[in-house]
């Protein structure tokens, strides 16, 4: 009976996934990114230096320095908001997802990941700008924002906002399922290799329970605790992966030209080749590249903006520039390193189409580093996955909070609490589901979540341009009224805060 239910779910999802990730949505994702890029005059290129100078560089310089926080806002620092957002994007999609894209879409899928990321940098920037501009503040000073807020209060289509929030809830559950599934699969594989254990399903379930318990401890503390945990784990896990990937690529440096040659030559593979792992149609290459690219960097989903909206910064554009760096770091650094490491390590002509993505990801490390590589991979991937699980718990929580905004805050807390309990329980359950099914289900909800967000970004693209122009005009010394919030009272409050901060600095 259970197998019959799963089979039915798989068939329904396959049909829906084919619609969601069909050409209309792919064109919508690319088209939105292209339009926003043109309207902001290629901001991801012209202001990339500005993005670095206002985000990661001052953060690195300020490490170890304590900054006094505004007691009026229940917020997190810009870096903690970024770390939470990047922890939601830098997950198994950056390693296993890239490997999966190559196995199922060919090396050319990597090229389309890059294309989606290039335009996605501006898409993510625009999401953050609108997210902060339309975010709300409750009586306790808690800041809440996201795609459903700018759809409801910017586009003024509340029905579409509720739809986006519902899709976000399911996407959050699906995303946690994918990540936990990969954690349990990775550790079960590592333990079975080390000790020849056969009952891998039991190991997976135990791992799932442990992940669920740790997640519960973290998410009880809300965005502040999530931000602190993410800001500690993200730099460590990212640096460890980058170092190991660079070493592995250096070990196979002779294969680097071949790897990049495959990526570019197979990106426009209009006809399926005569079989083997390189036999993919042009449509398959683009779809897999775009789907995995969006899964990884989340540009267009309207998800990471939920974390960014909790930032203490008053300037929407400043947090928007964090979004530019976020997608760059996620796709052009982490995903690219994974792709090049995989393509330089293996000869694709000898690989089987039935190769398990998580197993091949582990083999990528073990081939270069032996047992040490297996051990390191068993540390890196669970960290990548776990930080994504806790970030998406917050996204789902905020979606629930928005959907039940009409309920009194005291009662709404119980509803949000019920979601957290369900979220944690499903983490343990998802650890033993077949990986391809859980991945396919989440792909579908990601696509569904993206559609309302992209429609709104297109409609409000002019406002993004105005807010951007307003910020850079003020930076040049032009006296214009700041565009910091859509709500006059908050706009005045934030403008006064900025004036006060500038006076203190002088």
């Amino acid at each position: 009976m259970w197998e019959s239910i799963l089979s039915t779910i798989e068939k329904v999802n396959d049909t829906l996934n084919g619609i969601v990730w069909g050409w209309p949505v792919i064109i919508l994702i690319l088209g939105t990114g292209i339009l926003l890029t043109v309207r902001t005059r290629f901001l991801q290129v012209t202001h990339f230096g500005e993005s670095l100078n206002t985000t990661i560089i001052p953060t690195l310089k300020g490490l170890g320095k304590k900054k006094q926080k505004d007691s009026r806002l229940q917020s997190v620092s810009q870096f903690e908001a970024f770390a939470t957002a990047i922890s939601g994007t830098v997950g198994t999609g950056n390693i296993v997802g890239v490997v999966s894209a190559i196995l199922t879409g060919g090396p050319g899928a990597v090229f389309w990941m890059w294309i989606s990321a290039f335009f996605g940098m501006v898409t993510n920037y625009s999401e953050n700008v609108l997210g902060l501009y339309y975010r709300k503040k409750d009586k306790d000073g808690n800041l809440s924002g996201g795609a459903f807020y700018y759809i409801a209060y910017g586009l003024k289509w509340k029905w579409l906002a509720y739809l986006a929030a519902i899709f976000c809830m399911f996407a959050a559950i699906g995303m946690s399922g994918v990540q936990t599934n990969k954690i349990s699969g990775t550790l079960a594989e590592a333990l079975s290799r080390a000790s020849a254990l056969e009952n891998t399903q039991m190991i997976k379930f135990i791992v799932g329970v442990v992940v669920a318990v740790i997640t519960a401890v973290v998410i009880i503390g809300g965005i502040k605790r999530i931000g602190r945990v993410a800001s500690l784990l993200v730099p460590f896990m990212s640096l460890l992966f980058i170092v190991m990937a660079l070493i592995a690529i250096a070990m196979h440096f002779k294969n680097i030209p071949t790897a990049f040659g495959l990526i570019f030559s197979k990106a426009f593979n209009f006809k399926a080749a005569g079989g083997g792992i390189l036999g993919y149609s042009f449509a398959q290459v683009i779809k897999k590249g775009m789907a995995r690219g969006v899964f990884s960097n989340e540009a267009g989903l309207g998800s990471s903006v939920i974390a960014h909206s909790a930032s203490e910064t008053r300037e929407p554009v400043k947090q928007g520039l964090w979004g530019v760096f976020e997608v760059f770091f996620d796709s052009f650094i982490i995903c690219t390193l994974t792709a090049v490491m995989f393509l330089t390590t293996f000869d694709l002509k000898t690989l089987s189409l039935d190769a398990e993505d998580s197993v091949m990801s582990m083999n990528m490390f073990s081939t270069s580093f032996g047992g040490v590589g297996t051990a390191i991979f068993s540390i890196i991937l669970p960290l990548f996955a776990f930080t994504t699980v806790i970030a998406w718990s917050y996204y789902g929580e905020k979606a629930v909070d928005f959907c039940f905004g009409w309920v009194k805050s005291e009662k709404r807390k119980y509803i949000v609490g019920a979601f957290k309990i369900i979220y944690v329980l499903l983490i343990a359950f998802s650890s033993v589901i077949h990986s391809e099914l859980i991945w396919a289900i989440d792909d579908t909800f990601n696509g569904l979540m993206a559609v309302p967000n992209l429609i709104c970004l297109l409609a409000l693209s002019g406002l993004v341009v105005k807010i951007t122009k307003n910020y850079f005009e003020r930076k040049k010394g032009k006296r214009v009224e700041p565009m910091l919030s859509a709500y006059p009272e908050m706009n005045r409050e934030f403008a006064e805060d900025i004036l006060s901060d500038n006076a203190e600095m002088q």
Side-chain angles (χ1 to χ4, degrees), residues 88 148 164-180 215 219 295 298 301-303 306 385-400 419-420 422-424 426-427 430 438 441-449:
F148 15 94
I166 291 169
F167 289 149
C168 180
M169 279 188 274
F170 284 107
I173 292 170
M175 185 66 81
S176 72
V178 169
Q179 306 302 324
T180 307
T215 301
I219 67 177
F295 181 93
E298 296 179 21
L301 295 191
S303 53
I306 299 171
F386 176 69
T387 54
T388 301
V389 169
I390 60 174
W392 274 86
S393 71
Y394 180 69
Y395 301 163
E397 172 190 335
K398 284 299 176 182
V400 172
F419 170 80
K420 288 183 178 181
I422 294 170
Y423 187 88
V424 169
L426 288 176
I427 286 174
S430 62
I438 192 71
I441 290 172
D442 195 53
D443 258 354
T444 300
F445 281 117
N446 281 347
L448 289 171
M449 185 178 170

Side-chain angles (χ1 to χ4, degrees), residues 371-383:
V372 174
T374 300
I376 291 174
F377 181 78
S378 300
I379 294 172
I380 291 175
L381 193 74
L383 284 178

Side-chain angles (χ1 to χ4, degrees), residues 95-113:
I95 303 177
V96 181
V98 174
V99 171
S100 175
I102 294 172
L103 290 174
T104 58
V110 178
F111 175 83
W112 293 102
M113 277 188 183

Side-chain angles (χ1 to χ4, degrees), residues 120-421:
M121 290 164 77
V122 181
T123 303
N124 206 17
Y125 164 83
S126 302
E127 289 172 347
N128 288 351
V129 168
L130 293 175
L132 268 73
Y133 191 68
Y134 284 104
R135 63 182 171 176
K136 293 274 191 175
K137 184 176 69 169
D138 64 20
K139 60 183 181 181
D140 298 319
N142 296 298
L143 295 170
S144 298
F148 15 94
Y149 281 85
Y150 52 76
I151 293 172
Y153 302 108
L155 193 59
K156 300 187 185 302
W157 289 4
K158 286 202 171 183
W159 65 270
L160 190 62
Y162 283 119
L163 204 59
I166 291 169
F167 289 149
C168 180
M169 279 188 274
F170 284 107
I173 292 170
M175 185 66 81
S176 72
V178 169
Q179 306 302 324
T180 307
N181 192 273
K182 294 307 176 185
I183 293 174
S184 62
T186 299
L187 294 179
E189 176 70 18
L191 288 171
S192 65
R193 289 187 184 189
S195 57
L197 292 173
E198 295 182 0
N199 195 354
T200 55
Q201 284 295 96
M202 181 57 70
I203 296 172
K204 286 181 179 181
F205 183 70
I206 292 171
V207 171
V209 171
V210 172
V211 173
V213 171
I214 297 173
T215 301
V217 172
V218 175
I219 67 177
I220 286 172
I223 183 60
K224 287 193 172 184
R225 185 177 296 173
I226 292 172
R228 283 196 297 270
V229 171
S231 64
L232 289 172
L233 292 180
V234 167
F236 168 74
M237 70 185 193
S238 300
L239 184 60
L240 179 60
F241 173 77
I242 290 170
V243 170
M244 297 305 295
L246 288 174
I247 293 173
I249 293 168
M251 291 170 66
H252 304 96
F253 71 95
K254 291 182 180 179
N255 297 332
I256 293 176
T258 302
F260 280 99
L262 284 171
I263 290 171
F264 289 106
S265 66
K266 300 302 177 183
F268 300 94
N269 202 22
F270 288 92
K271 292 183 180 179
I277 198 162
L278 301 183
Y280 294 96
S281 67
F282 183 51
Q284 178 82 344
V285 172
I286 293 181
K287 286 182 179 181
K288 288 298 178 182
M290 292 290 294
R292 289 293 178 259
V294 172
F295 181 93
S296 172
N297 61 49
E298 296 179 21
L301 295 191
S303 53
S304 65
V305 60
I306 299 171
H308 284 287
S309 296
S311 169
E312 64 188 359
T313 184
R314 274 61 166 174
E315 290 280 8
V317 171
K318 277 190 175 182
Q319 203 65 35
L321 293 173
W322 275 105
V324 172
F325 177 74
E326 177 187 327
V327 176
F328 172 80
F329 179 78
D330 176 275
S331 298
F332 287 105
I333 295 180
I334 304 295
C335 286
T336 299
L337 285 174
T338 299
V340 176
M341 183 180 176
F342 184 82
L343 292 172
T344 54
T345 301
F346 300 113
D347 180 358
L348 298 190
K349 293 179 181 178
T350 64
L351 291 181
S352 169
L353 285 172
D354 297 325
E356 180 75 23
D357 50 19
S358 57
V359 174
M360 289 306 302
S361 299
M362 180 176 288
N363 289 344
M364 183 170 66
F365 278 77
S366 62
T367 299
S368 297
F369 306 107
V372 174
T374 300
I376 291 174
F377 181 78
S378 300
I379 294 172
I380 291 175
L381 193 74
L383 284 178
F384 272 45
F386 176 69
T387 54
T388 301
V389 169
I390 60 174
W392 274 86
S393 71
Y394 180 69
Y395 301 163
E397 172 190 335
K398 284 299 176 182
V400 172
D401 188 67
F402 179 85
C403 282
F404 291 92
W406 49 273
V407 178
K408 290 183 179 180
S409 59
E410 294 79 11
K411 292 183 179 179
R412 196 161 68 245
K413 289 178 181 178
Y414 292 110
I415 298 173
V416 172
F419 170 80
K420 288 183 178 181
I421 292 171

